[in-house]
């Protein structure tokens, strides 16, 4: 219940409580736009890169496995052994994967075809999550997550960072 509007916000009183709260305009605007702005849109449950053990990229033509060296938190390529990746791009890729959010949840019944690639993340305690990336239109991509029923629209820009970390920029075509 809005007790009193004021410049830059309002005073809010919760029904059944005596307290009155000052709420800034930006927060009020978010409330007025509905609950979707308060949903957790994080794609993966894992969020601590220091607890990651292994990241695996798989496409029809390539399989890349990276493992974190716990002594220095650098990543090394386990497979294929001859592959040389930019360590900085790997860090960007891992951070992007762990912080990636979806922009929309789409109907799970839609035909999304085969994935362009999949990424498996394994934590040090053995938890595993898999995200599969599908192209549904030019520069429009969706993700499916292991143990989730949804289809989630994801950012092309973030996918570019992820593909670049694996040296697979062309995998989004």
């Amino acid at each position: 219940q809005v007790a009193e509007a004021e410049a830059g916000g309002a005073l809010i009183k919760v029904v059944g409580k005596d307290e009155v709260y000052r709420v800034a305009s930006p927060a009020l605007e978010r409330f007025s736009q509905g609950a979707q702005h308060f949903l957790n849109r994080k794609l993966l449950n894992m969020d601590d890169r220091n607890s990651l053990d292994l990241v695996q990229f798989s496409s029809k033509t390539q399989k890349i496995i990276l493992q974190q060296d716990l002594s220095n938190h650098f990543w090394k390529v386990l497979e294929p052994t001859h592959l040389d990746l930019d360590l900085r791009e790997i860090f960007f890729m891992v951070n992007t994967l762990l912080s990636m959010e979806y922009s929309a949840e789409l109907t799970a019944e839609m035909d999304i075809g085969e994935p362009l690639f999949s990424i498996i993340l394994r934590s040090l305690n053995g938890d595993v999550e898999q995200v599969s990336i599908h192209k549904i239109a030019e520069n429009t991509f969706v993700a499916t997550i292991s143990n989730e029923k949804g289809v989630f629209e994801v950012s092309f820009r973030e996918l570019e960072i992820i593909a670049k970390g694996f040296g697979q920029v062309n995998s989004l075509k």
Side-chain angles (χ1 to χ4, degrees), residues 18 20 28 39 50-51 63 84 88 96 117 129 155 162:
D18 292 332
V20 176
L28 286 175
L39 294 175
N50 293 326
S51 68
K63 179 178 177 183
D84 185 28
R88 191 183 79 166
T96 299
F117 60 87
E129 283 192 84
S155 160
I162 292 165

Side-chain angles (χ1 to χ4, degrees), residues 3 6 20 25 29 31 41 53-54 101 106 117 128 138 161 171:
E6 59 178 33
V20 176
S25 292
E29 289 172 19
F31 277 115
R41 293 185 175 274
D53 175 37
L54 185 127
E101 295 185 347
L106 308 174
F117 60 87
V128 175
E138 189 63 32
I161 294 168
S171 64

